[in-house]
Amino acid sequence: IIGGTPGTVLYLTGYAAFRDSISSAVLNRQHGGEYAAMSSGEENVTKPSLSQGQEFMIHFASGMLAEALACIIYVPVDVVKERMQVQRLSNLSIQGASQNYHGSWDALQKIIKTEGTRGIYKGYAATLASFGPFSALYFMFYERCKLWSTEYLYRQSQETDTQNNERSAKRVE
């Protein structure tokens, strides 16, 4: 709970923030800074849209950046967890070995004291190299599936409306 929940909150809100800011920057660049004025609440203005390739890159980059941000929390939690797991296994195999860490907080403090901040972020690059592409692809596919399902539901509602109108017209006859 201590590491996972804040990490996930940072991951999901980070994705949304990166997606929105990158999208706005791309649209402003395309429209000479006029996008902010267009999106400020005028309902009858046709709002500019992104190409499919731009959307792909925005979701891909936002997913990668969200993972980089969330790893600020995830990696230290994993380092502490893994050090404690390895310590327990080695202490079981060696008779009379004393524990180095007496809980997660103690482990975190001792790692920072002996190895510095670099110690709690060991594996950050490897974690980002493995989970970064996953997050990038995850959000890219998530956004695509969200669009497909919205389009499908819209078509379904249009078909239902058409069928209801035809039934009503037959009753009137």
Side-chain angles (χ1 to χ4, degrees):
I1 291 175
I2 291 173
T5 301
T8 301
V9 168
L10 196 58
Y11 177 63
L12 296 173
T13 56
Y15 170 75
F18 287 126
R19 179 198 61 209
D20 294 347
S21 64
I22 294 170
S23 295
S24 292
V26 169
L27 288 169
N28 276 328
R29 192 167 197 196
Q30 283 178 332
H31 299 283
E34 296 174 12
Y35 174 69
M38 296 169 129
S39 62
S40 64
E42 294 181 34
E43 293 180 21
N44 295 330
V45 176
T46 303
K47 293 183 180 168
S49 61
L50 298 164
S51 72
Q52 200 169 4
Q54 289 171 321
E55 286 183 1
F56 166 83
M57 289 308 297
I58 289 167
H59 300 312
F60 192 87
S62 299
M64 193 74 151
L65 290 169
E67 185 65 40
L69 185 62
C71 279
I72 292 170
I73 293 177
Y74 286 144
V75 170
V77 169
D78 283 345
V79 166
V80 167
K81 177 189 71 163
E82 290 161 6
R83 296 270 182 106
M84 292 188 63
Q85 288 171 339
V86 169
Q87 164 189 287
R88 286 189 185 122
L89 291 174
S90 65
N91 286 344
L92 290 174
S93 64
I94 303 171
Q95 295 282 343
S98 63
Q99 269 191 324
N100 295 333
Y101 306 123
H102 304 287
S104 300
W105 184 248
D106 182 54
L108 180 65
Q109 289 177 320
K110 285 181 178 176
I111 293 168
I112 291 172
K113 185 177 180 180
T114 58
E115 300 173 50
T117 307
R118 295 180 110 187
I120 62 169
Y121 285 102
K122 277 188 179 174
Y124 181 87
T127 301
L128 193 55
S130 63
F131 287 105
F134 166 81
S135 291
L137 292 170
Y138 171 83
F139 281 113
M140 185 196 68
F141 285 117
Y142 166 77
E143 293 289 350
R144 180 60 46 196
C145 289
K146 191 168 79 169
L147 177 67
W148 288 336
S149 65
T150 302
E151 289 171 350
Y152 173 78
L153 292 172
Y154 177 76
R155 282 192 310 273
Q156 291 296 105
S157 71
Q158 293 299 312
E159 289 174 13
T160 302
D161 289 347
T162 302
Q163 289 170 355
N164 288 339
N165 290 340
E166 289 171 358
R167 286 185 195 135
S168 295
K170 285 180 183 179
R171 286 184 198 141
V172 172
E173 294 173 0

